[in-house]
Amino acid sequence: VYAFDGLGWGKSSRPNFPTDSDAAEALFVEAIEQWRAALNIDKMVLLGHSFGGYQAAAYALVHPQHVQHLILADPWGFPSKPAVITRQPPLWARAIIAVL
């Protein structure tokens, strides 16, 4: 059983992440692939929790030949940025406006 510390989390170094979401995802996928290759693991059972689940799924899509099984435990990710951003005033401001 191996557990690795993802880029920018825990005690790992924090690289300069790209601002483009596809490039940032590719950076995470490449980090997992470099780790796998360094340990000479041909096929693995990959488990990801929370944001690690998102990273594990992204890795499995790019490198399915190295994933024997994929286990996602409460996975999540970042949705695409909406084309139009609508913002409401904060709750405290809406409460004051409602009273006035």
Side-chain angles (χ1 to χ4, degrees):
V1 174
Y2 294 97
F4 62 90
D5 194 6
L7 291 176
W9 302 95
K11 293 186 177 186
S12 71
S13 61
R14 182 163 175 82
N16 290 324
F17 291 109
T19 56
D20 175 68
S21 61
D22 291 334
E25 182 177 292
L27 182 68
F28 283 117
V29 168
E30 183 56 28
I32 296 170
E33 176 56 15
Q34 288 178 7
W35 171 83
R36 183 210 58 80
L39 292 175
N40 199 28
I41 299 171
D42 181 44
K43 282 195 165 276
M44 61 184 156
V45 175
L46 186 58
L47 180 143
H49 171 260
S50 192
F51 187 60
Y54 176 84
Q55 294 174 350
Y59 177 85
L61 288 170
V62 176
H63 299 284
Q65 71 277 16
H66 296 301
V67 179
Q68 184 175 5
H69 295 288
L70 177 63
I71 303 168
L72 303 176
D74 193 24
W76 65 274
F78 296 101
S80 298
K81 183 177 178 181
V84 177
I85 299 175
T86 57
R87 295 187 181 212
Q88 291 185 352
L91 181 59
W92 64 268
R94 291 190 309 234
I96 291 173
I97 292 169
V99 171
L100 297 175

